[in-house]
Amino acid sequence: MPPRLVVENLRSYFFTRSGLVKAVDDVSFTINSGETLALVGESGCGKSMTALSLLRLLPEPGRVVGGEIRLDDRDLLHLPDLEMRRIRGNQISMIFQEPMTSLNPVLQIGEQIAEVLRLHKGSTSPQALEQAADLLTQVGISDPGRRLRDYPHQLSGGQRQRVMIAIALACDPKLLIADEPTTALDVTIQAQIMDLLQKLKEERQMTTLLITHDLGVVASNADRLAVMYAGQIVETGSVVQLFENPLHPYTQGLLNCIPRPGHKGLLPTIPGQLPSLREHHDGCLFIDRCDAPSPPCGHEQMQLKEHKPGHWVRCWRY
């Protein structure tokens, strides 16, 4: 069976007054039907810009300048705008980082869920509200009839995130993009939200792109992992492969930063900072932070190469 989503050589640039910013540069990955791929990396590495590129929702002055995005072998980059609007929220849904800025503060929760159902499924208003109540029940919100009449400010952070999940799942999408779905929630609520997403994924056989910087979330919720650095994928493989045998020095650094039981003293850190995405780089983007660069690293960028079946890395050591 072919992959549900194929992204090849995706390039998304921002054309600013101060220069060209290569936010996403030559990114390639696939996600199979029913699979969860986690996209990880530190803030500013291009994770969210990759997700917005898939939806063709890059903010100005950004635009996708090259590559391919295929959903079930359908080329999304060359669809007319009207057709792409039919796909967003229907075949591809996204859960954004902060529900308080994503939900409309002056519309009741029921109306915000019902709007999606009316637009994409042709439901009547009474049908849409009935379906909205059922969705709230599915995502674990009690007394859904009353909650339909609530406004976003009347809900807790965890409840608002559950509403965002209900909106995202309303049309039973082929691909769900979850962008830091547990940001700003306490640890207990984080676990509940991730358990809910995992349960719904298994029930609906959803294909999921999970964007996060939390490797603990990755370990318990993802099938495969792609590590992103400075707009590029530097390593990808199964969660087991990358956790047990990380190859790229950046992946190794991320895993070394995880607190472990019994650890005393300061945690290891990755020295330095992300390179400027406005500057041209001939060599490896990680060279200034690497503990053991080799001669080619400063002169030529390495392409992703398969080290072992299913395990790819962008590093001259391999």
Side-chain angles (χ1 to χ4, degrees), residues 159-174:
Q159 288 173 326
R160 286 195 291 267
Q161 194 63 286
R162 289 171 187 266
V163 170
M164 288 297 298
I165 294 171
I167 292 172
L169 299 183
C171 296
D172 202 13
K174 294 180 178 179

Side-chain angles (χ1 to χ4, degrees), residues 209-231:
L209 175 62
L210 173 63
I211 298 173
T212 183
H213 60 268
D214 188 334
L215 290 170
V217 168
V218 171
S220 55
N221 294 279
D223 302 299
R224 288 192 300 117
L225 172 61
V227 180
M228 198 165 190
Y229 180 77

